[in-house]
Amino acid sequence: MNGKLQGIIICGVTAACLVGVMAFLNSTSGKSDADSSSSSTAAVSSQDESVVILTKSSDDITSVKVSNEHGEYSVNKSESGKSTWSIPELGTLNANATAEASMISNLDGFKAKKLVEENVEDMSKYGLDKPTADLTVEYSDGTATTLHVGSVSPSNERYRYVSLDDEKTVYMVMGTKLSYYTDPVTAYANLTLLTKPSDDDWPDYGKETVTRKDLDYEMAFENNPNEIEGLSGQVMTEPIFSYLNITNSSATTHGMWGLTAQSCEVIAPDETAMKEHGLSDPFATVRLSGDGYDYTLKIGDPVYATAGDSSETTDTVSAYYCYFEGVKGVDAIYLVSADNLPWATIKAEDVITSLMTSNYLVDLKNVEVVYNGKKTVYEVESSGSSTDTDSDGKTTAQVTKVTTDGKELDVDNFKTFYQYLMGCPTNEIYFTDPEGESYLTITFDRKDGKKDVMEIYKDSSRRSVVKLNGETSFRIQSTWVDTFDANMDRLLKGEAVDDNY
């Protein structure tokens, strides 16, 4: 539909010019004055070869009936007489009001590039014996004109041949002006599946779940229980608990709002249509529900990009067939660009942050480490907590002292050590429960009485499995643990901590 808008040409014709034009037509066609008053009578411009073939104002149009290879439909003016339009064949679908209005205004002073031939004996040479499309324009005075659309001009593929009513005169018209009448009724559907709220009107976030046939787990996203600067307002709660990278995750957590399609394919689909498009058993299902709303997006069969020879490829998906539930006016199968569907390809590792936990150092009472049976406790003292902020929202609290077994440690070196600890890699999520006992357990005790616990188990000579708060969540390189152990020794000796592993 966007391409059509560029093809709209609205030509105003003055009354004086119209009278002169009509006189010219009467002298060439031999029609009476009464006949020439019909909107099907052509008016020839004296400045070029262009011809106005519908002379009445679009304000006088009451309906346009279209018949083409896709079917039949009509665009009707509202009974109130106001310039609002409806298309009964869209059923309950939301219509694109701009497209409806543009289709009508396109007929105001409808102009052909030129008159091609009069008194044509064989209309088939212009494809007008069996037109591609017919549109009948009805006016408030009870008159009507039918425009027939024929074949594409062989001399210029941007133009098509047309004729009026039963006349044997053929004109040439820009193809973009005719696309309104050669397209299916689905071209007039509104392609916004869910309107994006204004900045002040976003609903409270509820819960989003993503299930996909190529994944052996479900992803779930909910509100972040702790507001943490630099992290998303949501967290992943399935298949593991993890904080989200705000840049990488926003399209996944909030992309449902404002979701648009590139085309409408099937109105009010039945079971057969849903099956044919892969939607009776969808490849992916996304559900977003909260207070006052419950949306479900079904993602079906893919549509692949075309190669240079217009053949379909099998390696690049350009779009998917989709069906959206939970909103009125979208009961149809839509084709949605793959770029608008992150849920079709996203994996948990793509959206989570590198932080396993989010404990601010100033909020900790101590960090307890048990490595191969040996316990080490780092006692932390601070001037306040992370909730103490200045006018810019920055934390004003500072770590003032860190001790272990009565020995005071260098605070800055400990911060580097803690930074290494918080950077425990999260690039591989893992769900298979490990066997045996953990060989490294790290407990973060907070001043508010809450805690986080990381338990690390041997998986292989090179890999270790991490349980976070009792849930198997990640698999990491064992070299990270080796460097962590060495850093504990460096910290105790006052040596610089190594951040490589």
Side-chain angles (χ1 to χ4, degrees):
M1 286 300 300
N2 291 338
K4 296 173 186 172
L5 298 181
Q6 299 174 4
I8 298 173
I9 304 175
I10 303 177
C11 304
V13 180
T14 64
C17 179
L18 182 56
V19 172
V21 163
M22 297 300 236
F24 177 84
L25 286 173
N26 287 336
S27 67
T28 58
S29 66
K31 291 190 175 184
S32 66
D33 289 344
D35 291 337
S36 66
S37 65
S38 169
S39 62
S40 65
T41 305
V44 180
S45 169
S46 61
Q47 297 180 355
D48 54 34
E49 293 184 289
S50 62
V51 183
V52 177
I53 59 178
L54 295 178
T55 60
K56 288 187 178 181
S57 170
S58 61
D59 293 337
D60 297 324
I61 296 175
T62 57
S63 74
V64 177
K65 292 179 169 55
V66 178
S67 175
N68 58 34
E69 62 180 325
H70 305 289
E72 298 180 356
Y73 60 91
S74 60
V75 182
N76 304 320
K77 182 173 284 189
S78 66
E79 294 181 359
S80 65
K82 296 181 179 179
S83 57
T84 55
W85 302 87
S86 65
I87 302 178
E89 289 76 11
L90 282 179
T92 61
L93 279 193
N94 295 327
N96 184 329
T98 300
E100 290 175 330
S102 297
M103 178 210 196
I104 301 301
S105 62
N106 185 50
L107 295 170
D108 194 354
F110 194 80
K111 182 183 290 188
K113 176 179 173 60
K114 66 179 181 179
L115 187 155
V116 178
E117 184 181 351
E118 295 183 287
N119 302 316
V120 178
E121 293 184 2
D122 182 11
M123 296 293 276
S124 65
K125 66 181 180 179
Y126 298 109
L128 289 165
D129 57 328
K130 296 179 181 179
T132 301
D134 298 307
L135 58 140
T136 299
V137 186
E138 298 179 350
Y139 296 94
S140 56
D141 63 3
T143 61
T145 298
T146 298
L147 181 73
H148 308 289
V149 181
S151 57
V152 175
S153 167
S155 61
N156 191 331
E157 293 184 354
R158 294 186 303 157
Y159 292 87
R160 301 185 77 145
Y161 298 118
V162 303
S163 63
L164 298 174
D165 295 321
D166 296 327
E167 297 178 2
K168 298 299 183 181
T169 302
V170 175
Y171 306 91
M172 182 183 288
V173 175
M174 177 72 76
T176 51
K177 293 187 67 175
L178 297 169
S179 59
Y180 284 105
Y181 320 112
T182 56
D183 278 344
V185 67
T186 50
Y188 293 90
N190 191 322
L191 299 180
T192 299
L193 305 187
L194 180 61
T195 303
K196 187 176 183 178
S198 62
D199 290 342
D200 299 328
D201 199 31
W202 278 89
D204 290 334
Y205 198 87
K207 181 177 182 179
E208 180 181 83
T209 58
V210 181
T211 57
R212 221 169 57 226
K213 284 186 175 181
D214 63 335
L215 295 179
D216 58 0
Y217 57 84
E218 178 182 86
M219 286 180 279
F221 305 94
E222 299 180 63
N223 275 329
N224 189 342
N226 306 304
E227 291 188 10
I228 302 172
E229 183 180 355
L231 296 181
S232 169
Q234 284 68 50
V235 294
M236 177 180 285
T237 54
E238 294 290 342
I240 62 171
F241 179 90
S242 180
Y243 296 97
L244 300 177
N245 181 310
I246 191 169
T247 300
N248 296 347
S249 66
S250 59
T252 300
T253 56
H254 289 76
M256 191 96 72
W257 285 290
L259 182 63
T260 59
Q262 62 185 40
S263 64
C264 175
E265 298 296 312
V266 182
I267 299 172
D270 57 17
E271 292 183 6
T272 300
M274 292 289 280
K275 185 176 182 179
E276 288 176 348
H277 293 82
L279 291 163
S280 57
D281 183 23
F283 163 70
T285 301
V286 187
R287 183 180 180 186
L288 177 62
S289 59
D291 187 12
Y293 62 91
D294 191 353
Y295 309 127
T296 299
L297 174 66
K298 296 180 179 180
I299 302 174
D301 288 342
V303 173
Y304 293 94
T306 55
D309 59 358
S310 297
S311 62
E312 190 178 74
T313 65
T314 57
D315 54 354
T316 303
V317 176
S318 64
Y320 292 88
Y321 292 110
C322 295
Y323 187 81
F324 197 86
E325 298 175 349
V327 178
K328 292 182 179 180
V330 295
D331 181 18
I333 295 174
Y334 296 87
L335 192 62
V336 182
S337 170
D339 292 337
N340 293 341
L341 298 171
W343 312 279
T345 54
I346 205 76
K347 294 182 179 180
E349 295 93 333
D350 299 330
V351 294
I352 62 177
T353 182
S354 59
L355 296 176
M356 283 195 190
T357 69
S358 61
N359 296 295
Y360 286 101
L361 187 53
V362 293
D363 292 332
L364 293 179
K365 181 173 62 176
N366 64 64
V367 178
E368 179 185 282
V369 178
V370 179
Y371 181 58
N372 289 330
K374 180 182 178 182
K375 178 189 292 187
T376 303
V377 179
Y378 299 99
E379 304 285 349
V380 180
E381 297 180 21
S382 304
S383 61
S385 68
S386 59
T387 58
D388 300 329
T389 58
D390 58 20
S391 58
D392 295 327
K394 295 181 179 180
T395 301
T396 57
Q398 297 290 328
V399 176
T400 57
K401 187 178 181 180
V402 179
T403 58
T404 180
D405 197 23
K407 180 179 180 179
E408 188 169 341
L409 304 176
D410 181 86
V411 170
D412 289 335
N413 204 27
F414 184 80
K415 288 180 180 179
T416 304
F417 171 76
Y418 188 71
Q419 184 175 348
Y420 178 84
L421 171 56
M422 296 295 286
C424 184
T426 59
N427 55 307
E428 183 185 359
I429 61 172
Y430 192 74
F431 316 123
T432 304
D433 287 336
E435 297 178 355
E437 300 292 329
S438 64
Y439 70 96
L440 172 62
T441 300
I442 304 170
T443 304
F444 304 84
D445 279 312
R446 298 200 297 266
K447 295 175 183 177
D448 61 7
K450 298 179 181 179
K451 64 177 61 179
D452 283 316
V453 180
M454 289 171 53
E455 299 171 275
I456 301 179
Y457 298 75
K458 283 290 186 184
D459 180 61
S460 67
S461 59
R462 296 184 178 183
R463 292 287 186 269
S464 294
V465 174
V466 180
K467 277 189 175 182
L468 181 61
N469 295 326
E471 296 291 332
T472 303
S473 303
F474 303 98
R475 189 162 61 175
I476 66 172
Q477 294 170 268
S478 296
T479 53
W480 182 89
V481 178
D482 296 337
T483 301
F484 177 76
D485 177 43
N487 279 337
M488 291 177 63
D489 188 56
R490 293 186 185 100
L491 184 64
L492 190 62
K493 295 178 179 178
E495 297 175 357
V497 169
D498 185 4
D499 57 4
N500 297 309
Y501 60 91

